[in-house]
Amino acid sequence: MADTLDSAATFSPLRWRGDTLELLDQTLLPTREEWLTCNTVEEVAEAIRRLSVRGAPAIGVAAAYGLVVGLTPVPAEGELADRFAEVAELLLSTRPTAVNLRWAIERGRELFARHREAGAAAARAALLDWAKVVHAEDIETNRRMGEHGAALFEGEQRVLTHCNAGALATAGIGTAIGVISASFARGGVAMVWVDETRPLLQGARLTSWELQRLEIPFKLVTDSSVGALMSRGLVDGVVVGSDRIAANGDIANKIGTYTVAVLAQRHDVPFYVAAPLSTIDRETATGADIPIEERDGEEVTDVFGTRVAPAGTEAFNLAFDVTPAELIAGIVTEEGVLRPPYSESIRQAFARAQP
Amino acid sequence: MADTLDSAATFSPLRWRGDTLELLDQTLLPTREEWLTCNTVEEVAEAIRRLSVRGAPAIGVAAAYGLVVGLTPVPAEGELADRFAEVAELLLSTRPTAVNLRWAIERGRELFARHREAGAAAARAALLDWAKVVHAEDIETNRRMGEHGAALFEGEQRVLTHCNAGALATAGIGTAIGVISASFARGGVAMVWVDETRPLLQGARLTSWELQRLEIPFKLVTDSSVGALMSRGLVDGVVVGSDRIAANGDIANKIGTYTVAVLAQRHDVPFYVAAPLSTIDRETATGADIPIEERDGEEVTDVFGTRVAPAGTEAFNLAFDVTPAELIAGIVTEEGVLRPPYSESIRQAFARAQP
């Protein structure tokens, strides 16, 4: 109990208890609320791979704790370096697109390099302290993003979000949903359009679940209804999360995000992205350089165990797509709302964050 | 057996046997191939309402036979007119968007008016002969649309279709899929992108099933993947069906069609519609005048009996959307491929059809 952090959200999808990482198994929501206990790094990796924990910031925090789990029990001194390298590599291999994962592992590697000489137990202890900082930082980062983004919507607007970029995707109040809930509290948002987000239905399953808990009115639609909603003038704004932002402001996010952005442009609806600076990868020049994960076609041909396509049907299942910077009205970060041209505003935000 | 028509397709979703209309229950495909026997007009109406038979042209043919089923057994002479009016009204009330339904009922009403003086049995017999003509005409209309549309695609193109506008949606080889299969036979189409078409998954369930039977290569994607496919240059053309076409060339079709058309425009991918002249409603001036059916939210919150959204979630479930004429490169009809400006080309096509 002592080892849990208060997320300031009404719930948090991950917690450190004793020497284990506990994850709310998001594949079972909203039907069942069950916690996974990860005693080994293999269990952490598998939980990330199968989306029991998902959302770029939450994956980053889970990976930080995963490094600690991988050094539990503490390895023999002679095996420490190899073991750590193996653990870091395993976690890094789980999912290619979300850069927060790589960001956490790289920071963990630097920290380990500084502490390994002190011995295995000390290195592990330093990593645990650091993972808790990463966890606490994410909560604080979410809070600040909500503050900055709350002013984007004025006067009871109807805001659409895609996938789930809420508390379930982070350690705190969420990125896109953090902005929405902060704005809702001020009367800027009246209701939320939730698109279901096939194939894994994070909108229908997770965002609906969160908005119910937050008591924010919402309506669920299929992904392909967004065009009709906009052409009927029913959407005033869009805010989504991101899994990686390139140096020029192009973003990767859940498949379907690009389509929403194209529709928003056609209908003069402002399209915002909410993501912490840890999601911005300045080493990735443009969206074309972001690796896009392709997942198993069965996620499309089977819906929760019901086969929907004929046997032998092949599906092409991209997990993410890229939305070019030109379609994005603003990127909400903990350092404020970045505006085009993003190459410049991103550079300035990092300068403010690391003076 | 004698009462079935050869559709020239590899299968047909409806057939007249003895005094009953038999419908392939499309809600069960692709898992089960079961035929519904409609002995009463209430059964025909219910089959249309629950989408056991669907697709604008197939609904038109089913409604024509439905008028006959409604006069079986032959009513007493004194009840004939009231009974016919009641039957026509019931069928007309099933679904509001597809104009082929209204077109069939109106033609049936005219025919009935001409034959009712001859007595109930004769009027019913005339309606049955006429329904078979409607059925046969749809087969022939499909064939001619395929001929005209086959030349749209040249050189092994990758063509995307939305929903199901195939043999299952008509009495013949289909509208959009008729064009695709005719073009495939000439080498103009190499493969088909099938989007799944939530909420009822007509793409995943029905179009996949048809393309397998036609031995045309295809890949299934979620609806929200279309933007990513186009931005990667993987789509050379789009062809869809329609439920109603306004006099100015705006079209109503399955929800999500508009989104595909907007993406196609952005990526310079030609977007075609394939529909018989019976789908063109010259009394509807523009797309804004087309009534759009709203269906039960449970089609979104529940996927084949599995609840996916939390209890209490409200869904907004439009069955169709409107694609403006400006996004349409051509409309394939049995009278040729109509080109913009559609007000003019539609007028000319009707003039050719009814000289």
Side-chain angles (χ1 to χ4, degrees), chain B:
Chain B
M1 300 296 176
D3 274 334
T4 57
L5 280 158
D6 175 8
S7 77
T10 51
F11 53 91
S12 176
L14 75 182
R15 59 194 182 202
W16 181 259
R17 288 215 174 161
D19 275 345
T20 62
L21 175 63
E22 294 185 357
L23 300 171
L24 181 59
D25 186 350
Q26 300 189 34
T27 64
L28 304 177
L29 287 178
T31 318
R32 300 204 320 263
E33 295 180 23
E34 289 182 19
W35 289 79
L36 287 173
T37 302
C38 299
N39 292 302
T40 67
V41 68
E42 288 74 17
E43 286 168 345
V44 177
E46 183 59 16
I48 295 173
R49 204 175 276 123
R50 63 190 294 277
L51 312 199
S52 294
V53 60
R54 28 70 52 202
I59 291 173
V61 176
Y65 283 123
L67 292 174
V68 182
V69 172
L71 298 188
T72 310
V74 179
E77 297 297 335
E79 291 161 16
L80 176 65
D82 283 355
R83 176 64 185 159
F84 181 80
E86 194 180 287
V87 163
E89 205 48 55
L90 173 64
L91 291 167
L92 206 50
S93 72
T94 51
R95 299 196 68 196
T97 304
V99 76
N100 309 59
L101 172 63
R102 199 188 73 198
W103 171 90
I105 299 297
E106 282 177 4
R107 280 179 72 186
R109 278 172 170 160
E110 286 163 23
L111 190 97
F112 178 78
R114 287 201 303 278
H115 290 270
R116 55 179 287 192
E117 295 306 324
R124 180 188 173 282
L127 279 167
L128 178 55
D129 288 346
W130 162 78
K132 288 180 182 174
V133 169
V134 169
H135 190 170
E137 276 177 359
D138 192 56
I139 293 169
E140 173 61 10
T141 295
N142 277 219
R143 194 191 59 73
R144 290 173 64 196
M145 290 169 57
E147 260 178 31
H148 291 300
L152 290 178
F153 305 112
E154 296 284 349
E156 307 205 332
Q157 300 210 317
R158 299 153 302 174
V159 175
L160 184 136
T161 190
H162 182 65
C163 196
N164 172 269
L168 290 169
T170 65
I173 59 170
T175 54
I177 294 184
V179 167
I180 286 171
S181 59
S183 188
F184 177 76
R186 300 168 68 250
V189 168
M191 62 82 67
V192 181
W193 290 109
V194 175
D195 67 20
E196 61 178 5
T197 316
R198 279 280 290 150
L200 296 179
L201 298 166
Q202 289 93 338
R205 296 190 301 111
L206 308 180
T207 297
S208 298
W209 186 83
E210 284 200 28
L211 293 174
Q212 272 190 345
R213 290 186 159 222
L214 293 166
E215 298 182 4
I216 299 175
F218 68 95
K219 277 195 181 162
L220 180 66
V221 293
T222 59
D223 301 320
S224 69
S225 298
V226 177
L229 293 184
M230 289 193 186
S231 67
R232 289 172 174 225
L234 299 174
V235 182
D236 302 309
V238 176
V239 57
V240 299
S242 173
D243 294 81
R244 188 183 305 208
I245 299 176
N248 72 339
D250 293 350
I251 69 136
N253 191 43
K254 179 58 54 197
I255 189 78
T257 302
Y258 169 63
T259 293
V260 173
V262 169
L263 289 165
Q265 182 192 49
R266 180 174 169 94
H267 293 284
D268 290 322
V269 171
F271 177 94
Y272 298 105
V273 175
L277 293 185
S278 57
T279 297
I280 301 176
D281 179 14
R282 287 185 293 171
E283 291 167 28
T284 297
T286 74
D289 305 311
I290 300 176
I292 299 296
E293 179 180 5
E294 191 182 329
R295 293 181 63 87
D296 196 318
E298 282 195 6
E299 289 182 353
V300 182
T301 56
D302 294 65
V303 182
F304 292 97
T306 302
R307 180 86 192 176
V308 292
T313 297
E314 207 181 310
F316 183 50
N317 183 20
L318 292 172
F320 303 95
D321 61 23
V322 172
T323 299
E326 49 147 331
L327 300 178
I328 302 169
I331 300 175
V332 184
T333 73
E334 68 272 33
E335 293 294 334
V337 180
L338 315 188
R339 300 285 185 176
Y342 293 109
S343 309
E344 185 54 26
S345 54
I346 286 172
R347 201 191 52 70
Q348 288 170 355
F350 276 90
R352 281 198 299 281
Q354 297 150 352

